[in-house]
Amino acid sequence: QVHVVESGGGSVQAGGSLRLSCTVSGFTYSNYCVGWFRQAPGKEREGIADIYTDEGTTYYADSVKGRFTISRDNAKNTLYLQMDNLKPEDTGMYYCAATISYFANYCRLIDNYKYWGQGTQVTVSS
């Protein structure tokens, strides 16, 4: 059984940094997608970054490119989203999700993700 648990949210002033953690357990294969998504109040959930673990291929949405970075600790089955130079528009509930995949492009689509964490709140004040 696959479990996804994220943590690390909080409140920060604009320009500050936070690091989110996502621990994925239960996969018996090494090829899967891990995506980060966020949902602002009144808006749809959007994908902001993902990694295809088999190749280490990463993707970042334009809104976070250059400010957010995915890294991973394979020994801990944990991935991190380092968020720097945070802006008020980054405020929202952040979710980590995972799904089996055989190619990187599969990671782009939110509907492809089968296993979701509970979410963690990020609030950026101006």
Side-chain angles (χ1 to χ4, degrees):
Q1 190 170 0
V2 177
H3 293 281
V4 178
V5 179
E6 72 265 77
S7 61
S11 297
V12 66
Q13 288 191 328
S17 298
L18 286 171
R19 189 178 77 160
L20 306 183
S21 300
C22 175
T23 299
V24 181
S25 60
F27 277 127
T28 56
Y29 298 96
S30 62
N31 52 308
Y32 54 93
C33 302
V34 177
W36 290 96
F37 303 83
R38 71 182 176 196
Q39 187 166 18
K43 294 188 176 182
E44 291 187 356
R45 193 173 299 185
E46 61 172 345
I48 56 172
D50 63 62
I51 182 169
Y52 178 49
T53 60
D54 191 39
E55 300 171 351
T57 309
T58 56
Y59 162 83
Y60 301 95
D62 288 343
S63 58
V64 305
K65 195 174 296 182
R67 301 187 297 122
F68 292 11
T69 305
I70 294 175
S71 63
R72 58 179 173 172
D73 184 336
N74 291 334
K76 297 181 179 179
N77 291 331
T78 299
L79 295 97
Y80 304 96
L81 184 67
Q82 178 67 40
M83 305 187 295
D84 297 320
N85 191 22
L86 283 160
K87 304 176 180 180
E89 52 264 41
D90 293 319
T91 294
M93 185 69 78
Y94 282 67
Y95 298 89
C96 179
T99 191
I100 292 287
S101 177
Y102 297 99
F103 49 96
N105 287 343
Y106 194 80
C107 306
R108 294 300 102 77
L109 299 178
I110 188 173
D111 289 343
N112 290 340
Y113 285 84
K114 184 175 181 180
Y115 307 100
W116 289 82
Q118 78 282 4
T120 185
Q121 178 69 34
V122 171
T123 303
V124 185
S125 57
S126 57

